[in-house]
Amino acid sequence: MAFPSVSSSSSSSAAAAAAYPRGLFSLRHRSGFLGILVLLLLLVLSFQLVIHVPSIRSAVSLWFFSNNQTKREGPGSCPGCHNAQDMDNADKTIAYTDQDGRIRLFKVTTREFMSSSIWKNPLLHKDTQPVAGTLEATDEQLLNTTRSEVSNLSSTGTLETKRMDPIKLKREVFRRKRKEQRIQELLQMDKEAELHMQNMATNSSRNFSNKVRASYNIWRLEIHHTNTDSTLRLMKDQIIMAKVYATIAHSQKQSDLYVLLMKCIKQSKAAIGDAHMDHELDSSALERAKAMGHALSSARDILYSSGEVSRRLRVMLQSTELNIDSVKKQNSFLVQHAAKTVPMPLHCLHMQLTTDYYFRDGVIKEYFRDASLREEEDKAKREDQSLYHYAIFSDNVLAASVVVRSTVTHANEPEKHVFHIVTDRLNFAAMTMWFISHPPLPATVHVENIDNFKWLNSSYCSVLRQLESARIKEYYFKAHDPSSLSDGNENLKYRNPKYLSMLNHLRFYMPEIHPKLDKILFLDDDVVVQKDLTPLWEVDLKGMVNGAVETCKESFHRFDTYLNFSHPKISENFDPRACGWAFGMNMFDLKEWKKQNITGIYHYWQDLNEDRKLWKLGTLPPGLITFYNLTYPLNRTWHVLGLGYDPAVDLAEIENAAVVHYNGNYKPWLDLAVSKYKPYWSKYVDLDNSHIQHCYMSER
């Protein structure tokens, strides 16, 4: 058999390839060729099928709002519009590319557009576009919105889509409705209501206290330190230990170490200064603390002995305790001394008034002439039981004037108020001169001298007899007497001279001072009246003698606080848990007083307490005993106490009180007074008086 030539072989091979398409060459390139054709086909389809969400929304909008008509106008008014149900059933296939570039498709209905979009009619003007709040889709329709399942043309086969939360949608609808309702309310508000709202907002802003807010401000420096005084306390402890080691070093002739420790102590004290918190320390405080730490470490290595250090610390502790006791006594003495000392301006006022009383020249003569003309009328008023009578016992002109002026200021019928003031011989001229030159018209004031009470003598008055006894004089004036208060055996406050003044005990002799009166209101000279007190005369005391405000709170101010229940006379006759009450504003029924023989009861118990075993000095303990089971409790708003010692009295209680009482050492006319309580008293001082201006301005 003969073989063909090369050329013939090549042509025969081409012919064979053409005749046999399943050859090797065709199989190798066919798959790639088909892939290119598929990609070209998909590319062409993508231009036709891929519709982005904004485009489909515009198309559907054109479909919904054709012929310039909205859905709310009804199908009849929209020629050419589709049926509403057809719209609900209408759906479009939307294609999009995900973040991986894969093409995904899903179907969307008109309901889904209504629940998630604001429809826009491209044929309407911009200002007339409907808003979401005007869509006529009910809440139920919005909440029942559903999404169709998604088909995926990619190899993954499915597409997960997010569904709108119906709860959020309902919240949004509610917020919009509430906002519209509030707008309508504000538009319909009348001018008066609007003005009232503005005034309330203005007052609220004026009364806002940024001081209270600042005390809790997170931007304060203290907040940035968890232990704001940790470094300060460390340095103080270092100083204590340095003093211990310095004492030991000095006793053991370690002069270099002693000098080093004393130098560190001096530097640490300088760095501390008056600091109370870490941020108040000097900038060199940490360096001083480190240097002190090194010095203490060296001292401990050289000198440490547990027994010696313990002994030195005990000595320092005992010395510190003695110093604290001494400072406490000194502080108590100084407070009592300041409380019982007459301020220079007040003394000046008394001297000026006394001088005017005795010279009586010029205008002063006219004052006395006017007073003499009113004398007959005032005398009749002093015994008229239909009027309101007050009893004031005081040696302080300024204090008594504030009591009278504040009472008359708030009285509904001031012409019916009569004030009976009793003072001592030393201050009688000044007190009389003040009320002659400053009469609180139309009220009546009568000033009396205690020395004119002839019935008040030591044979009748037991307390007067005791005050004149040698034992009481030793108790008060002999500093080294065993019973002296200077030895710390008794409370220093009982050395106050007011306990030696008979003016303090006159409250137990009301019927003797005012024999023709049936009721009288007793006021201390350290009170301020803030309301009309005439309703007190209408209070039914239920047969009791004394009407007073009770002061007991839980375990405070009960009888066992004031009386010695270890004494059988006290424990057998009184209940230790009985509630205490306050002197300062007391309504006394003088008819019942005489019937119950109150003064006699007072004398009986005062005689038993001559050795001061039943109670200490003062008028409240014998008052509690004398009026035991004879006191009617008044409402607490009549009388608020504590302004003379307690800086934490509720300001709301003070504002609502009929009478506020500065009981305690911090009287309002002293520099010791609590500053926030002082205006309640000082606003009733007659600052226009020439003597007050002269005495107080010269003091400044």
Side-chain angles (χ1 to χ4, degrees):
M1 183 176 180
F3 292 93
S5 63
V6 175
S7 59
S8 62
S9 299
S10 301
S11 59
S12 62
S13 298
Y20 299 98
R22 294 184 181 272
L24 180 63
F25 176 81
S26 175
L27 292 173
R28 181 179 301 175
H29 296 283
R30 184 180 180 185
S31 59
F33 180 75
L34 291 175
I36 292 173
L37 290 176
V38 171
L39 288 175
L40 291 173
L41 180 61
L42 290 175
L43 183 61
V44 172
L45 290 174
S46 65
F47 285 104
Q48 298 178 1
L49 298 179
V50 177
I51 304 173
H52 295 285
V53 173
S55 301
I56 191 62
R57 287 184 178 175
S58 299
V60 176
S61 297
L62 284 170
W63 180 26
F64 266 51
F65 298 100
S66 60
N67 298 325
N68 296 329
Q69 298 294 330
T70 59
K71 181 181 176 181
R72 79 180 84 182
E73 294 176 356
S77 62
C78 182
C81 292
H82 293 280
N83 197 336
Q85 182 157 351
D86 294 336
M87 293 182 187
D88 291 342
N89 297 330
D91 60 278
K92 291 289 181 180
T93 301
I94 298 177
Y96 70 98
T97 55
D98 62 9
Q99 60 184 2
D100 297 326
R102 290 177 293 185
I103 300 173
R104 297 182 182 275
L105 302 177
F106 71 95
K107 292 183 179 181
V108 62
T109 65
T110 56
R111 282 179 178 267
E112 293 174 327
F113 272 99
M114 290 170 63
S115 64
S116 61
S117 305
I118 298 177
W119 289 97
K120 179 179 179 182
N121 185 355
L123 302 178
L124 292 179
H125 190 269
K126 181 178 179 181
D127 296 335
T128 61
Q129 294 295 341
V131 296
T134 63
L135 294 179
E136 298 189 6
T138 63
D139 294 343
E140 184 178 359
Q141 290 175 331
L142 294 174
L143 295 176
N144 293 331
T145 303
T146 58
R147 285 280 181 91
S148 60
E149 295 184 355
V150 179
S151 302
N152 190 0
L153 296 180
S154 65
S155 58
T156 55
T158 58
L159 172 67
E160 295 180 0
T161 59
K162 296 182 180 179
R163 179 177 177 177
M164 172 163 285
D165 188 356
I167 298 179
K168 291 184 178 179
L169 184 60
K170 188 173 183 179
R171 261 190 221 138
E172 182 65 22
V173 173
F174 174 74
R175 287 194 193 100
R176 290 178 179 174
K177 289 182 178 179
R178 185 176 59 184
K179 184 177 180 181
E180 291 177 0
Q181 182 181 0
R182 181 56 179 163
I183 291 173
Q184 292 299 324
E185 291 177 356
L186 292 175
L187 291 175
Q188 295 174 4
M189 182 183 295
D190 58 2
K191 294 294 183 181
E192 184 178 354
E194 184 179 357
L195 182 61
H196 178 67
M197 185 174 65
Q198 291 177 357
N199 291 335
M200 288 184 63
T202 304
N203 294 332
S204 177
S205 62
R206 287 176 178 173
N207 297 329
F208 177 74
S209 176
N210 58 352
K211 294 182 179 179
V212 176
R213 191 175 181 181
S215 64
Y216 301 98
N217 194 338
I218 63 171
W219 298 107
R220 291 180 65 195
L221 292 175
E222 294 89 332
I223 306 299
H224 296 281
H225 307 276
T226 53
N227 295 317
T228 56
D229 61 343
S230 57
T231 304
L232 179 63
R233 287 187 283 111
L234 172 64
M235 295 183 70
K236 288 182 177 181
D237 292 342
Q238 286 180 335
I239 291 174
I240 293 174
M241 291 306 301
K243 288 181 178 179
V244 173
Y245 284 124
T247 305
I248 298 175
H250 187 267
S251 63
Q252 295 184 6
K253 309 299 182 183
Q254 298 283 345
S255 58
D256 293 341
L257 184 58
Y258 173 78
V259 171
L260 175 62
L261 290 170
M262 295 304 295
K263 179 182 177 182
C264 289
I265 291 173
K266 183 177 180 180
Q267 292 176 344
S268 294
K269 286 184 175 180
I272 292 174
D274 298 328
H276 298 284
M277 293 291 176
D278 286 352
H279 68 273
E280 298 175 352
L281 292 170
D282 188 81
S283 58
S284 63
L286 287 177
E287 295 298 327
R288 302 302 182 195
K290 290 179 182 179
M292 177 68 85
H294 293 311
L296 289 175
S297 179
S298 301
R300 182 176 57 195
D301 294 339
I302 299 172
L303 304 173
Y304 182 74
S305 171
S306 59
E308 182 68 14
V309 171
S310 176
R311 187 175 67 83
R312 297 286 181 180
L313 287 173
R314 283 198 298 270
V315 171
M316 291 180 65
L317 180 62
Q318 292 174 359
S319 175
T320 303
E321 288 178 347
L322 291 175
N323 289 337
I324 291 174
D325 291 340
S326 176
V327 170
K328 283 183 177 180
K329 281 188 176 182
Q330 184 179 12
N331 177 71
S332 179
F333 171 78
L334 292 175
V335 169
Q336 294 294 331
H337 180 71
K340 67 185 180 183
T341 301
V342 178
M344 183 60 69
L346 194 58
H347 175 70
C348 169
L349 177 63
H350 280 236
M351 297 305 296
Q352 294 281 349
L353 292 171
T354 302
T355 302
D356 290 345
Y357 179 83
Y358 286 108
F359 276 90
R360 301 188 184 186
D361 56 348
V363 181
I364 307 301
K365 289 183 178 180
E366 297 181 6
Y367 290 149
F368 278 93
R369 184 170 62 252
D370 295 340
S372 61
L373 294 175
R374 297 194 305 266
E375 179 63 25
E376 291 298 325
E377 181 182 355
D378 291 349
K379 186 176 181 180
K381 285 185 175 181
R382 292 198 294 266
E383 298 177 353
D384 189 348
Q385 296 187 16
S386 64
L387 303 180
Y388 306 110
H389 296 269
Y390 300 83
I392 302 173
F393 308 126
S394 175
D395 56 0
N396 187 328
V397 173
L398 194 60
S401 69
V402 168
V403 176
V404 173
R405 190 176 187 184
S406 63
T407 305
V408 174
T409 299
H410 295 95
N412 292 334
E413 299 176 299
E415 67 278 0
K416 294 184 178 181
H417 293 255
V418 182
F419 297 88
H420 304 266
I421 300 177
V422 179
T423 187
D424 55 15
R425 179 175 53 186
L426 184 63
N427 298 282
F428 176 75
M431 189 76 73
T432 304
M433 188 66 240
W434 175 270
F435 286 104
I436 286 178
S437 58
H438 300 82
L441 300 176
T444 303
V445 176
H446 177 58
V447 180
E448 293 183 89
N449 187 349
I450 191 175
D451 290 344
N452 294 336
F453 297 153
K454 302 302 181 183
W455 49 267
L456 191 63
N457 51 62
S458 56
S459 61
Y460 174 69
C461 180
S462 55
V463 68
L464 188 60
R465 184 169 60 253
Q466 292 173 12
L467 292 175
E468 294 175 354
S469 67
R471 295 180 63 180
I472 292 294
K473 292 179 181 179
E474 290 179 356
Y475 181 79
Y476 273 101
F477 300 111
K478 287 193 176 182
H480 301 290
D481 188 84
S483 64
S484 173
L485 296 174
S486 62
D487 292 336
N489 295 329
E490 306 206 41
N491 197 319
L492 190 61
K493 70 179 183 178
Y494 295 115
R495 297 190 72 174
N496 196 313
K498 72 178 183 179
Y499 297 113
L500 294 174
S501 173
M502 195 59 203
L503 287 174
N504 205 38
H505 296 267
L506 279 182
R507 63 194 69 187
F508 295 103
Y509 298 94
M510 288 292 185
E512 286 81 356
I513 302 173
H514 310 287
K516 295 184 178 181
L517 298 180
D518 291 339
K519 266 190 174 184
I520 194 167
L521 182 65
F522 166 72
L523 295 176
D524 261 338
D525 64 354
D526 54 353
V527 304
V528 174
V529 178
Q530 300 185 132
K531 293 182 180 180
D532 182 31
L533 299 182
T534 53
L536 283 171
W537 274 263
E538 300 174 3
V539 175
D540 184 7
L541 298 181
K542 310 292 185 183
M544 302 297 180
V545 179
N546 174 30
V549 171
E550 293 182 335
T551 58
C552 57
K553 296 179 180 178
E554 298 178 359
S555 60
F556 301 105
H557 299 293
R558 297 190 180 272
F559 271 43
D560 56 358
T561 307
Y562 307 98
L563 304 177
N564 179 20
F565 275 86
S566 63
H567 196 285
K569 274 287 186 181
I570 297 296
S571 58
E572 291 172 3
N573 291 279
F574 305 101
D575 179 10
R577 303 297 301 162
C579 188
W581 46 268
F583 270 129
M585 190 210 72
N586 304 82
M587 176 59 71
F588 291 125
D589 187 337
L590 301 185
K591 292 178 68 175
E592 285 294 328
W593 185 304
K594 298 171 185 177
K595 187 185 300 184
Q596 299 286 348
N597 191 21
I598 296 300
T599 306
I601 297 174
Y602 166 72
H603 285 162
Y604 169 78
W605 286 101
Q606 195 69 47
D607 290 336
L608 290 178
N609 193 49
E610 188 172 0
D611 55 358
R612 301 185 310 282
K613 298 296 183 183
L614 304 183
W615 68 86
K616 303 302 178 185
L617 294 178
T619 55
L620 183 55
L624 296 176
I625 290 177
T626 302
F627 296 101
Y628 184 64
N629 290 333
L630 294 172
T631 299
Y632 178 80
L634 298 174
N635 190 292
R636 290 183 183 273
T637 58
W638 281 112
H639 187 191
V640 171
L641 299 100
L643 278 69
Y645 70 90
D646 184 7
V649 180
D650 189 359
L651 294 180
E653 290 186 7
I654 297 176
E655 295 288 346
N656 295 328
V659 174
V660 292
H661 194 172
Y662 292 83
N663 56 313
N665 289 323
Y666 305 142
K667 302 298 184 186
W669 53 84
L670 299 176
D671 292 335
L672 296 173
V674 182
S675 58
K676 65 179 179 180
Y677 302 149
K678 212 166 184 178
Y680 296 103
W681 182 86
S682 59
K683 66 182 178 181
Y684 295 106
V685 175
D686 187 2
L687 299 178
D688 295 330
N689 179 262
S690 59
H691 292 326
I692 291 180
Q693 291 178 356
H694 169 73
C695 293
Y696 280 86
M697 293 303 293
S698 61
E699 175 67 14
R700 293 178 183 177

